Amino acid sequence: MTGVQQNGDAGPADLDLVRQVSDRLAGAMTSVIEGKPDVVRTTITVLFAGGHLLIEDVPGVGKTMLAKALARSIDATVRRIQFTPDLLPSDVTGVSIFNQDQRRFEFRPGAIFANVVVGDEINRASPKTQSALLESMEERQVTVDGTTYELQSPFIVMATQNPIEMEGTYPLPEAQRDRFMARISMGYPSAAAELAMLESHGAHSPLDDLTAVTDAATISRVVEAVSRVHASAAVRQYIVDLATRSRTTTALRLGASPRAALQLLRAARAHAALEGRDHVLPDDVQQLAAPVLAHRIMPSSETQLARRTTTEVVHDLLRQVPVPAQAR
């Protein structure tokens, strides 16, 4: 960690490291993901904030491609889990197997033991299997048969899911959704981006040409640096005010949890660092509020009847809660 500030707030060397790594990752990922710079940037923000990412959209728009592009851009351990109705919790966490020769049980790690875990179509697995991720995503550990095993660092779960109206899907439980720092949608590409995709992806997959531009140790350094980005008391109060307002508005029947407020702060720190700042502004909170909060809250029946989305409700909250005058 030569040149990177070890104590206190993030310094110039920290911000320079964040910028260098983010530029390399963005360059690699945009060579695969055409015309989605905002999606790529949010993905990198979640990675640097030490969170997990949920990618929700209809089939065929590049959800898994985005997750694979990030995974291949990092020289780290990567595992992919294809979630299906017959997937078992032990397939995710691992299982203890009796060794006849040594006369004792041995633990065989599951797919969750990796730096980058790509969970494809997570909502096609049963709720029982989905719940196997809860401990690992929150506590960075797995407990099997009474023994706890630590997970590697860095650790990020990038899960894709289809809209719940699609056949053969199970809605993610509230506790599972709350483990994801942010939810994004790919959306359809522009006509120009789709044409470029047909030209570049027609003969072979650009993933085949993608090589790692950073490694797990460097990402761990970046996550540590981002955690030291300064957040003033006014900014922290602003986040609490947003969370509190979400719990009292009649537009919602379930507001943001304390975990949501904490993850919004972490995401805002990462956003500030990507902008080259050593401190968080209300603008950072506002930029990340919808991706971080919208999937965690539940609309009231009136909001559903009005056909309003939780993202629209979050934007209403941002308009209702006063922005602090002194934010540094």
Side-chain angles (χ1 to χ4, degrees):
M1 286 194 183
T2 303
V4 177
Q5 189 169 320
Q6 297 295 305
N7 299 302
D9 294 337
D14 294 308
L15 299 178
D16 188 54
L17 175 67
V18 172
R19 181 188 59 78
Q20 291 180 21
V21 177
S22 65
D23 287 348
R24 293 200 297 265
L25 282 174
M29 295 176 67
T30 52
S31 69
V32 176
I33 306 299
E34 303 280 355
K36 297 292 180 182
D38 292 341
V39 169
V40 169
R41 187 175 179 83
T42 302
T43 302
I44 295 173
T45 300
V46 172
L47 173 68
F48 287 3
H52 306 291
L53 183 65
L54 181 63
I55 312 166
E56 180 183 274
D57 218 320
V58 296
V61 293
K63 301 188 299 296
T64 306
M65 184 75 75
L66 175 68
K68 286 182 175 180
L70 177 67
R72 293 204 181 186
S73 300
I74 304 172
D75 184 11
T77 56
V78 178
R79 299 290 294 274
R80 181 173 182 265
I81 308 173
Q82 182 65 55
F83 283 83
T84 56
D86 60 348
L87 188 73
L88 299 175
S90 58
D91 296 328
V92 176
T93 60
V95 64
S96 294
I97 298 177
F98 188 72
N99 188 316
Q100 291 283 1
D101 296 332
Q102 300 184 12
R103 309 296 296 176
R104 63 184 178 86
F105 283 95
E106 291 182 348
F107 178 65
R108 301 288 178 86
I112 200 67
F113 284 84
N115 295 120
V116 181
V117 178
V118 179
D120 204 10
E121 296 187 305
I122 186 174
N123 62 336
R124 290 202 182 278
S126 67
K128 181 178 181 180
T129 301
Q130 292 174 11
S131 65
L133 293 168
L134 294 178
E135 180 186 14
S136 59
M137 291 178 67
E138 178 64 20
E139 302 173 45
R140 304 303 203 263
Q141 66 182 31
V142 171
T143 302
V144 177
D145 295 334
T147 303
T148 298
Y149 305 90
E150 297 293 329
L151 295 175
Q152 304 174 43
S153 180
F155 173 63
I156 179 173
V157 174
M158 297 183 66
T160 70
Q161 75 165 356
N162 297 316
I164 60 173
E165 293 82 7
M166 295 227 161
E167 185 176 352
T169 59
Y170 301 83
L172 289 183
E174 290 82 1
Q176 181 69 70
R177 292 201 307 269
D178 206 36
R179 296 307 201 272
F180 288 99
M181 175 173 282
R183 180 189 65 183
I184 60 174
S185 295
M186 297 293 294
Y188 289 110
S190 65
E194 192 164 7
L195 178 60
M197 181 193 71
L198 294 180
E199 294 174 353
S200 61
H201 296 213
H204 72 289
S205 172
L207 282 172
D208 298 337
D209 301 326
L210 195 60
T211 58
V213 296
T214 187
D215 56 30
T218 303
I219 295 298
S220 292
R221 291 168 57 193
V222 170
V223 172
E224 172 62 25
V226 164
S227 70
R228 293 196 300 271
V229 171
H230 177 68
S232 67
V235 167
R236 296 195 300 271
Q237 185 62 54
Y238 180 49
I239 292 174
V240 170
D241 290 344
L242 283 171
T244 302
R245 179 59 181 160
S246 74
R247 299 165 195 159
T248 57
T249 178
T250 57
L252 299 173
R253 61 187 178 93
L254 178 67
S257 67
R259 182 190 288 117
L262 179 60
Q263 300 222 341
L264 180 55
L265 174 61
R266 291 173 177 169
R269 281 187 166 126
H271 188 272
L274 287 171
E275 292 291 323
R277 281 185 275 102
D278 62 357
H279 60 281
V280 180
L281 295 177
D283 287 349
D284 300 310
V285 177
Q286 293 170 350
Q287 286 288 327
L288 274 301
V292 173
L293 299 181
H295 65 290
R296 306 167 185 270
I297 57 182
M298 297 181 66
S300 64
S301 55
E302 292 81 3
T303 300
Q304 290 177 307
L305 287 172
R307 298 184 180 277
R308 302 185 69 236
T309 66
T310 53
T311 298
E312 292 172 328
V313 174
V314 171
H315 289 154
D316 287 345
L317 297 177
L318 291 172
R319 287 189 288 268
Q320 295 166 9
V321 176
V323 177
Q326 300 296 327
R328 280 205 64 170

